[in-house]
Amino acid sequence: MNRVSVVAQSLKKTSNNGDLAQFVAPRGPVRVRIPRMLSNHAKGLLITATGVLIISPDGLLTRLIQTDHWTMMFWRALLLSFGMWLAVSLVNPNRVWRQYCTVRGPGLLMVGAYSLGTISFIYAITHTSVANTLVILSSTPLFAALISRVLLHEKIIPRTLIAISLVAVGIAVIASGSVGVTSALAGDLAAVLGSFFLACGFSFVRRFPQISSLSAISCSGLLTALLVLPLASPLAISQADFGYLLIMGLYVVPIGTALMFIGPRYIPAAEVGLLLLLESILGPLWVWLVYAEQPGNNTLLGGAIVISTLLINTVWALRHSPQRVPA
């Protein structure tokens, strides 16, 4: 079970809760001139690819911001909360409060998971390379498979177990390149924690489909901002840094995330997985083009193991486990 499968299945289960269904599948007759399935498939590819392209400069924006990571974390989380509120308001203009009311009980677990995932991600990307962070975070689908085994009692197939083992080897190779550099090794470990917490969040989405995922992400942003406020200096930030934070918090992260939640409604999860792997490649590429931050040998070798394993696993799922996409 990969991250995209988690998102796709959660969207399928939540199509009646008003979270995204009304936005991506409005009521009433819709007339198109091209075949319906072809139209939906093309739409899914376009939506998902756009989401990946929008969110891929996230690592670069983080590098461009010069303030300390706690202050960055505060503003990113607060702006993300506001950005997701705007998304919920756009999707459900007459049911905003009702969407937020779903985030209670088990929904608080989802909020906590996303909040810890954000804290871990920012800490990781400010203490180790962008390539290390994004490659390690690409292991989220396999963490989700392990968590789903416990939370949803889903069987882990042998192919997934092999993939988990190989990805663990790849992460170990990446981390070995940070041995001796305390901050870099701590950043790698934070990326592993971030991957785990994000996988928890996606698993909670599947376990509790009645909860509005966008509202939960919005609440997690507010919680994160409150948690790091004592360590941050919100007013000690330059105009340039705040501009980058506005782009990140109001555009890149909320819009990219929303599109990557919508895309799996129209195409098979395995196809979305292939597109999402581009984030692990494009993110370090933008940083390399601007900062000439070149991944080390361990990162290249470990990243090759991780990405190739996920790629083969996803292609295999696409060829041997075709999924029917709802019309």
Side-chain angles (χ1 to χ4, degrees), residues 1-2 5 142 157-163 166 268-274 277 307-323:
M1 179 63 62
N2 60 31
S5 297
L142 302 183
I157 60 178
R159 169 170 53 82
T160 303
L161 288 174
I162 295 173
L166 290 175
E271 288 191 26
V272 184
L274 292 175
L277 283 177
I307 293 177
S308 61
T309 298
L310 293 173
L311 179 62
I312 293 172
N313 186 59
T314 303
V315 172
W316 186 278
L318 182 61
R319 295 187 61 183
H320 294 85
S321 301
Q323 299 184 28

Side-chain angles (χ1 to χ4, degrees), residues 12 19 21 45 87 96 127 142 157 247-248 279:
K12 183 177 180 180
D19 191 11
L45 290 174
V96 177
H127 286 77
L142 302 183
I157 60 178
I247 296 173
M248 179 193 297
E279 184 185 354

